[in-house]
Amino acid sequence: MNLKFWKKKHKEEKKKKSTGREWLDAGIFAVVAATLIRTFLFEAYTIPTPSMEKSLMVNDYLFVSKMHYGARIPMTPLSFPFVHNTMPVVGGNSYSTAVQWDYKRLPGISKINRYDDVVFNYPQDDNKTRPIDKKENYIKRCVAIPGDSLLIKEGVLFINGKPAYDPKFKQFNYRVTTITNAPINPEIMEDMDIYPMGDPRMPNVYSLTKGEVDKLSKIPNIQITLLNDLFGIAPGVVEPNAFPMDTANFKFNNDNFGPIYVPQKGKEIKLTPENIALFRTIITEYEGHELSYDTSSIRIDGQAVSSYTFEMDYYWMMGDNRHNSLDSRYWGFVPEDHIVGKAWFIWFSYGKKGIRWNRLFRGIKALED
């Protein structure tokens, strides 16, 4: 190569990049780095509903760890950065399904433990066309893990025949009135950060923790009534929307549910026309088999069967605000491939009274103890 030409070329390459080029390079690096962090380490999440009150509160801003349970390899890799499933402002999908990868998960720090606060993709997302990793994100407490037996009796949760862990801020609905029928002083409730449900079907109804019930019970003229079972359904009466929506064989409601078995990968279970409703969605939607049955037989992929072996682990998720939570009592088991990560710590929070300073930069576990 001509020495003069080489020196000229080398000098040109050493020229300083333009400001525009530097900004472009920095922007690309930032997007790539942030995407890798969001995918494999942790992701920001905001609590949108009161289903976990007051363990996790509306407008808690938290980080979800992908490392604890092992990050999922993206199943839908072609997507717009930092957007979950819908494009802001313009609407429409923020992803393309032209490329779809099978479910795989990196090794994690720990397994999903009972009573962890877990973020997962909502299994029964109304938009059936969405890929698993683009379904809406939910957060609940994992109260039962694969292989567990679960029972709810008059609002009390039992796991494997023993009373379950009782979250400090678990809530139920109560009707709060006065003995003299005089209106309750709203300042009393606001000072305790308690607000009415706002549902015209349930006047004077509040979601209360045990601690709040104890405090209100000490106020003269106040009477408190537990509304056992959602909307006043009596114990033993069927809730038609309760999982598995087979009222002939399962007399379940919000506070009286089970016993049921939480499926474990590799475990075989006997199938009958009476219990098939419990596992129908697992067999067809989550594990991809064809299922048909009648009162005398069950067929999977065209073959008559009397049992089934699960191909994935499953979990049972419930909100701590027990009477105001859309959870596994209504849509059943959560498959392992829907698990996003573990709620880690809160970095910001605000409520009706402004910033909740006592919740900032606090670990989830520390707030619940």
Side-chain angles (χ1 to χ4, degrees), residues 197-242:
M197 295 283 295
D199 189 333
R201 296 172 298 173
M202 300 187 292
N204 302 317
V205 172
Y206 299 81
S207 291
L208 303 175
T209 65
K210 183 180 184 300
E212 290 167 342
V213 171
D214 291 342
K215 288 181 180 179
L216 285 172
S217 298
K218 296 175 182 178
I219 300 175
N221 199 36
I222 293 286
Q223 58 182 9
I224 307 169
T225 306
L226 172 65
L227 299 183
N228 195 22
D229 297 295
L230 191 61
F231 299 133
I233 296 174
V237 176
V238 177
E239 166 58 67
N241 293 321

Side-chain angles (χ1 to χ4, degrees), residues 25-215:
D25 288 351
I28 292 173
F29 175 80
V31 168
V32 171
T35 300
L36 290 174
I37 290 171
R38 186 173 183 265
T39 301
F40 297 108
L41 299 181
F42 57 86
E43 181 178 357
Y45 184 81
T46 307
I47 303 296
T49 70
S51 68
M52 285 293 291
E53 296 267 352
K54 292 178 175 176
S55 301
L56 294 171
M57 304 175 73
V58 173
N59 295 324
D60 275 348
Y61 289 75
L62 52 89
F63 283 123
V64 177
S65 168
K66 306 287 184 73
M67 301 174 289
H68 278 78
Y69 309 141
R72 287 183 306 190
I73 302 300
M75 293 183 245
T76 313
L78 302 180
S79 61
F80 196 82
F82 315 130
V83 179
H84 182 51
N85 55 30
T86 304
M87 289 296 293
V89 184
V90 297
N93 291 338
S94 64
Y95 57 89
S96 169
T97 56
V99 177
Q100 289 281 272
W101 293 343
D102 293 336
Y103 164 66
K104 288 184 176 62
R105 190 180 291 274
L106 297 177
I109 297 173
S110 68
K111 294 182 178 180
I112 301 174
N113 296 309
R114 289 190 200 93
Y115 317 122
D116 280 356
D117 297 300
V118 178
V119 173
F120 55 93
N121 298 118
Y122 178 39
Q124 297 299 306
D125 197 310
D126 291 338
N127 189 335
K128 299 297 184 181
T129 64
R130 282 180 179 153
I132 291 171
D133 57 340
K134 295 302 178 183
K135 293 180 179 180
E136 294 295 339
N137 288 329
Y138 268 43
I139 185 168
K140 307 288 180 188
R141 189 177 301 279
C142 176
V143 298
I145 60 176
D148 281 347
S149 174
L150 175 143
L151 170 69
I152 306 172
K153 187 174 182 180
E154 296 185 8
V156 180
L157 175 65
F158 295 86
I159 301 297
N160 300 326
K162 298 179 180 179
Y165 161 74
D166 209 12
K168 179 179 180 181
F169 299 110
K170 181 182 68 177
Q171 296 188 137
F172 290 102
N173 284 355
Y174 294 82
R175 179 166 285 112
V176 182
T177 56
T178 59
I179 297 173
T180 59
N181 292 322
I184 298 174
N185 185 347
E187 292 183 1
I188 294 176
M189 309 303 273
E190 290 177 10
D191 286 344
M192 296 175 61
D193 206 21
I194 298 173
Y195 301 92
M197 295 283 295
D199 189 333
R201 296 172 298 173
M202 300 187 292
N204 302 317
V205 172
Y206 299 81
S207 291
L208 303 175
T209 65
K210 183 180 184 300
E212 290 167 342
V213 171
D214 291 342
K215 288 181 180 179

Side-chain angles (χ1 to χ4, degrees), residues 163-366:
Y165 161 74
D166 209 12
K168 179 179 180 181
F169 299 110
K170 181 182 68 177
Q171 296 188 137
F172 290 102
N173 284 355
Y174 294 82
R175 179 166 285 112
V176 182
T177 56
T178 59
I179 297 173
T180 59
N181 292 322
I184 298 174
N185 185 347
E187 292 183 1
I188 294 176
M189 309 303 273
E190 290 177 10
D191 286 344
M192 296 175 61
D193 206 21
I194 298 173
Y195 301 92
M197 295 283 295
D199 189 333
R201 296 172 298 173
M202 300 187 292
N204 302 317
V205 172
Y206 299 81
S207 291
L208 303 175
T209 65
K210 183 180 184 300
E212 290 167 342
V213 171
D214 291 342
K215 288 181 180 179
L216 285 172
S217 298
K218 296 175 182 178
I219 300 175
N221 199 36
I222 293 286
Q223 58 182 9
I224 307 169
T225 306
L226 172 65
L227 299 183
N228 195 22
D229 297 295
L230 191 61
F231 299 133
I233 296 174
V237 176
V238 177
E239 166 58 67
N241 293 321
F243 175 80
M245 299 183 201
D246 176 1
T247 55
N249 294 297
F250 300 97
K251 311 296 185 183
F252 295 165
N253 63 32
N254 197 51
D255 285 330
N256 296 275
F257 200 105
I260 61 169
Y261 168 75
V262 181
Q264 184 176 15
K265 182 178 180 178
K267 295 295 183 180
E268 183 180 38
I269 193 168
K270 183 179 180 181
L271 293 180
T272 68
E274 290 74 32
N275 75 359
I276 190 64
L278 286 172
F279 310 110
R280 176 175 52 210
T281 302
I282 288 178
I283 295 169
T284 57
E285 291 189 28
Y286 303 151
E287 301 191 355
H289 299 285
E290 292 184 1
L291 171 69
S292 62
Y293 59 93
D294 55 30
T295 56
S296 60
S297 66
I298 299 172
R299 303 179 76 85
I300 296 178
D301 296 331
Q303 301 293 318
V305 299
S306 60
S307 64
Y308 182 77
T309 301
F310 299 106
E311 299 170 12
M312 283 193 292
D313 283 330
Y314 291 84
Y315 302 87
W316 192 265
M317 308 290 186
M318 288 174 60
D320 288 356
N321 192 352
R322 292 292 168 78
H323 284 162
N324 301 281
S325 174
L326 180 62
D327 55 34
S328 286
R329 291 170 293 179
Y330 293 94
W331 33 258
F333 310 105
V334 176
E336 65 175 78
D337 62 358
H338 284 56
I339 301 297
V340 174
K342 179 178 181 177
W344 193 10
F345 75 92
I346 294 170
W347 60 272
F348 185 70
S349 180
Y350 73 91
K352 293 185 178 183
K353 297 180 180 179
I355 296 175
R356 303 177 183 123
W357 296 101
N358 63 326
R359 298 182 70 80
L360 270 57
F361 299 102
R362 299 286 304 280
I364 303 299
K365 183 82 167 62

